[in-house]
Structure formats: C-alpha cells, structure tokens
C-alpha cells in the first residue's frame, strides 16, 4: 500500500535530475541553433564549447538557476534519505559507523553543491582560475560523497541482505564512481595537453552521467512510500537488537544467533524485504 505522506520524497531527485538534464539540453541546443559559435573563452582550434563557455555568455542566468535548483533538490534528497533511515521508513542504520558515513556523504555533497553554484556565478571569462577551482570542488565533492554512500550501503547490506534496492543502488553508485573518476582523469589530461575539443566532449559526458547518479536516489527513496516496507525494516531492527542482547556478536544473515528459545538457530528475517 502506498503512503502518500511519504510518496513526495522520491519526487525530489526527479526534479533535480530533470532540471539538470533540461538545462544541459537547452544550453547545447541554443549553441547549435546559433551556428556553434566560437566564444571568447574558447582556445584557438577549439571546435566544441565547454558547458562553462556557453554558460558564461547570454545563458548565464539559466546556468545559475539550473545549478541552484539541481543541487538544492539533490541535497534535499540526501537529507530525506537520512531522515527516512533514522525513522525506519527505509532500511535503518544499525550502527554508529553507518550514521557517520551518511553524515560524511552529506557534508561532501554540500561541498559539491557550493562548487557547482559558485562555478556558475564565477564564469570562465571573468574568473577563469576561480571557475576551474570550483569545478574541481564540484566534481570531487560529489565523487567523494558517492564513495561514502557506497560504504554506508555496503554495511547496511550486512543487516538487510534481502533488500534488492540496496544492492542495486550500491552497484549503480559504484559504477558512477568508477566511470566518473576515469572520465575526470581523461578530462583533466586532455585539458592540460591542449586537446580542448576532446576535453569538452568528456565534460559533456561527465555532466550527462551525473544525471543518472541523481536518479539513483529516486530508487533509494521510492520504498519509503510503501507501508509494508516500513514494517519489515522495523521487524528486522528488532531482530538485530534481540540478537545483540544475547551477546553472540552476530548479525542477522551474518552468522548464528538465537531463535528465541536458546537453540542457537539463525533468526529468519521477514520475507517481504525485496524492495
């Protein structure tokens, strides 16, 4: 059964991803319709404009607005995910380490937010060095944030082994980390070897892949709208607490515990945890 009170949370990443993708498409289409002009910020021989080249011209208000809306709604998605895990609507953090990892992911996401908003304000024409620094802050902040999220989800997977959503989201975010680091290395390498057109292609690809990273939070938040999901999370949390009280040092699904009668049987988690 869908709980409409919590159904709106998964709209947050959709707004973020839709705004980001719409902004990128609008900027690229305008540049193409204008005849692919060479801007003053472009290097000699550069045929493809960076996103920042287009954003530094007449479309800077769109660039700033898109960056703000994208990052604000993405940060709200981070905050919603943290709150929903705390309240048990999503697979609940069972230890302090997971909460610390979650907090660190939010901190670095906020740094990435500052980077994107500031790079859109301090354009590459008037403030090239500041712009490049904020670009690195944006990319580095969200990549490190994704690393902490993956670490958190890996630990959650120990407790919630039958949650397919956790597994799928973990692998999707890990894919984002690996691909974005590889593409960022190519982007930086081609930028400093004066292959500006190739570097611009890598920048557009990196930006588009970021859209799919944002959409992984839709997958994370969607189960919160299901009442049955909340029930199974709370049940498994009680099983884990009961196991810890017996002092056996094992977690559900990770070893042998007690079946409630002291028989040393592994407790069975609720069956309906496959969201």
């Amino acid at each position: 059964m869908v709980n409409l009170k919590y159904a709106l949370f998964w709209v947050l990443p959709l707004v973020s991803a839709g705004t980001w993708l719409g902004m990128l498409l609008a900027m690229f289409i305008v540049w193409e319709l204008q005849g692919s002009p060479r801007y003053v910020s472009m290097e000699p021989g550069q045929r493809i404009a960076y996103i920042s080249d287009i954003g530094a011209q007449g479309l800077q208000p769109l660039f700033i607005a898109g960056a703000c809306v994208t990052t604000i709604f993405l940060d709200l998605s981070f905050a919603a995910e943290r709150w929903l895990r705390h309240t048990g609507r999503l697979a609940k953090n069972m230890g302090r380490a997971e909460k610390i990892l979650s907090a660190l992911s939010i901190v670095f996401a906020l740094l990435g937010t500052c980077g994107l908003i500031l790079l859109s304000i301090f354009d590459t024409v008037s403030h090239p060095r500041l712009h490049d620094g904020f670009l690195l802050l944006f990319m580095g902040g969200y990549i490190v944030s994704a690393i902490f999220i993956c670490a958190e989800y890996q630990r959650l997977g120990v407790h919630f082994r039958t949650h397919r959503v956790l597994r799928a989201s973990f692998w999707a975010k890990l894919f984002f980390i690996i691909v974005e680091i590889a593409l960022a290395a190519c982007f930086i390498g081609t930028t400093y070897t004066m292959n500006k057109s190739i570097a611009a292609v890598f920048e557009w690809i990196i930006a588009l892949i970021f859209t799919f990273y944002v959409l992984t939070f839709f997958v994370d938040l969607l189960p919160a709208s299901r009442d049955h999901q909340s029930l199974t999370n709370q049940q498994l949390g009680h099983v884990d607490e009961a196991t810890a009280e017996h002092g056996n040092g094992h977690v559900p699904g990770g070893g042998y515990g007690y079946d409630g009668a002291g028989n040393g049987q592994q407790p069975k988690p609720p069956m309906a945890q496959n969201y």
Side-chain angles (χ1 to χ4, degrees):
M1 181 178 179
V2 175
N3 189 321
L4 295 179
K5 177 182 177 181
Y6 297 95
L8 294 178
F9 284 109
W10 51 260
V11 176
L12 297 172
L14 293 181
V15 173
S16 178
T19 300
W20 179 250
L21 183 59
M23 181 197 72
L24 293 177
L25 291 175
M27 294 172 72
F28 186 79
I29 291 172
V30 168
W31 180 67
E32 280 288 328
L33 291 177
Q34 290 176 344
S36 305
R38 287 195 70 260
Y39 298 121
V40 65
S41 57
M42 297 172 66
E43 299 288 338
Q46 181 181 345
R47 295 178 294 103
I48 301 175
Y50 288 111
I51 297 171
S52 301
D53 291 327
I54 302 173
Q57 307 303 317
L59 292 179
Q60 188 173 24
L62 172 65
F63 194 19
I64 295 174
C68 290
V69 173
T70 297
T71 52
I72 288 173
F73 276 87
L74 180 55
D75 290 341
L76 288 174
S77 300
F78 273 85
E81 194 253 5
R82 174 84 281 277
W83 181 72
L84 291 168
R85 294 205 188 282
H86 176 73
T87 58
R89 296 294 310 185
L90 294 175
K92 195 169 185 178
N93 293 129
M94 307 299 284
R96 181 178 298 177
E98 295 158 14
K99 296 177 182 178
I100 293 174
L101 290 170
S102 177
L104 287 172
S105 72
I106 294 174
V107 169
F108 279 93
L110 291 173
L111 290 176
T113 292
C114 293
L116 181 56
I117 293 176
L118 290 173
L119 76 85
S120 68
I121 296 172
F122 294 93
D123 62 78
T124 188
V125 175
S126 304
H127 311 276
R129 291 195 176 183
L130 279 175
H131 181 87
D132 290 344
F134 291 135
L135 176 61
L136 292 176
L137 179 62
F138 163 56
M139 294 172 62
Y142 277 111
I143 288 175
V144 174
S145 174
I147 291 173
F148 282 120
I149 291 177
C150 280
E152 178 197 0
Y153 284 13
Q154 192 276 332
R155 294 184 65 89
L156 280 170
V158 173
H159 302 282
F160 299 90
R161 294 194 173 199
T162 55
H163 275 54
R164 291 197 299 261
V165 165
L166 281 175
R167 190 181 306 113
S169 184
F170 169 82
W171 287 111
K173 289 178 174 61
L174 184 61
F175 173 81
F176 166 79
I177 293 169
I178 295 172
V179 172
E180 291 289 70
I181 289 177
L183 291 174
C186 294
F187 169 70
I188 294 172
T190 51
T191 297
Y192 287 99
T193 56
M194 302 307 293
N195 294 310
K196 298 293 186 177
S197 292
I198 298 175
V201 172
F202 280 120
E203 184 189 50
W204 282 96
I205 295 174
I206 289 170
L208 290 172
I209 291 178
F210 183 69
T211 305
F212 295 101
Y213 171 67
V214 176
L215 288 175
T216 64
F217 289 92
F218 166 76
V219 178
D220 294 335
L221 295 172
L222 184 60
S225 62
R226 298 170 180 171
D227 284 332
H228 196 54
Q229 171 74 357
S230 175
L231 177 61
T232 58
N233 289 337
Q234 293 173 11
Q235 288 174 339
L236 188 52
H238 292 323
V239 170
D240 187 79
E241 291 170 2
T243 304
E245 288 175 0
H246 282 91
N248 56 12
H250 295 287
V251 296
Y256 288 98
Y258 289 84
D259 63 353
N263 296 325
Q265 298 297 318
Q266 183 178 351
K268 295 182 179 179
M271 294 302 293
Q273 297 174 31
N274 297 321
Y275 298 115

